Amino acid sequence: VAQVFHQHTIRDSRSSLGVGSTCTPGMGQIWANPCTETSLKAKLVCHMGDRRTLDNSDTVDHVPKYLLKCNQGHGMKGHVVREVFAACSAVTSCWECATDCGREVSCYRCKPCGVVYCNDCSRKKLGLPRQTDGGGVHLEVMPGDIFMAGPDKFGIHHVILCRSEWQEVDPEVYACLTDLEPGTHLLACETIESTQGSVGDDTWWYPATTYFCRNPRDGSALLFADLKSESREISQAMEPVPTKVLLHPLRGHDDEDTFNDEAFEETVWELAKSSKKYGKFTAVRSVVSGLLEEEVIHASKYQTEQEKDDLMTKIRKTWQKRPICASVAVQCWQRYLEKISDSDIEAADEILKYMPQWCHKSTPSSLVKDLTQHGWVISDSFNADPRADGELVVSTRSWHHWLGRCKFTLVQ
């Protein structure tokens, strides 16, 4: 099983290409959006709701806006193929449009009723833009979003944590990439991940600028290449990898739901400096924990202040375990929520709201299944609706915001 979890999906299928002459950010954008000159961001706004019970029997005070329900009122969970057991996955059809929901795509499922909605219909029911509505405008990402690359032949997705919004692609980078399909858009953002195939210069984790190739017709995206931080070589995938994205819920304008980019980046680098080598045993344990449903932190078990204080002690101990790819996202989010909280009790409450996973037991499929019950949204499409209204608000955040923060120098 450890070999199955070996992250060959992306890293071992890449070749190295030298980057050309020295250049700096802001030299122009090869793949300009045809429909707009400003970037758009889908604002997935969360709000506080009435106290109610979810179908995992955990009673919580925070009810996310983007919680999909079937006609019987059951909370539906996001679904991607389970690791290792891909051969056992049955192909189901969407109850709305009859589209096949196979192992390559995500969907939403209601276990009690057997209802299945494809990702396209799920976005419609959640009030998000449908995949075919996006035209030439891409969905904006934020630091803290989670990319899911895959699955491979064993049903394994590789988790990559996003560290920035989309950035301009330097023409020199574009010139080094080959086999780009005509009409596709190249997107880039800062990321970090844990993999056996690649590590950073002074960390076991792998920080990089990752490049995605987006088809504007249906929004499908492929992980195409990456540029290691402080490196002079681009690693391009011999076979680009299909990629989904988990959008986190802290995207609103309310003080309660704001996201601190700088605090999150500080947290990522603090953890990266003390990171550990990729753990094969952790991978095996995660698969077993997924079968036994032990990867979730159940809020019903931590109601009193003493129980929440004990929970934080347990969570901090799990950060010392060797990671797999899913561990990085869980650990960074939990440490970030602890960092912005005034006490352990508040930190425990925030973790139970947004990232109730044991980082040493989590798997990519369990992340999708559980986080979609806590306001996160899984999307197979990188398209966004240009006719933004209601909760989908246009963002005019300037590229100059990033020019002052990001070092991006390409040396021959």
Side-chain angles (χ1 to χ4, degrees), residues 229-273:
S229 295
E230 308 300 331
S231 174
R232 298 181 296 175
E233 290 186 342
I234 293 178
S235 297
Q236 180 175 332
M238 297 176 64
E239 294 185 8
V241 184
T243 304
K244 309 169 183 65
V245 61
L246 261 174
L247 303 168
H248 70 72
L250 299 183
R251 307 173 105 84
H253 295 293
D254 298 335
D255 291 339
E256 185 120 15
D257 288 332
T258 55
F259 185 83
N260 190 324
D261 294 11
E262 293 184 1
F264 189 81
E265 182 73 356
E266 290 175 5
T267 299
V268 169
W269 284 111
E270 287 172 3
L271 294 173
K273 290 178 181 178

Side-chain angles (χ1 to χ4, degrees), residues 1 6 17 81 131 138 168 194-196 263 295 374 392 399:
V1 178
H6 201 151
L17 300 174
V81 64
Q131 292 183 11
H138 59 73
E168 288 184 279
S194 177
T195 173
Q196 292 193 57
E295 74 280 10
H374 294 270
L392 301 173
W399 287 113

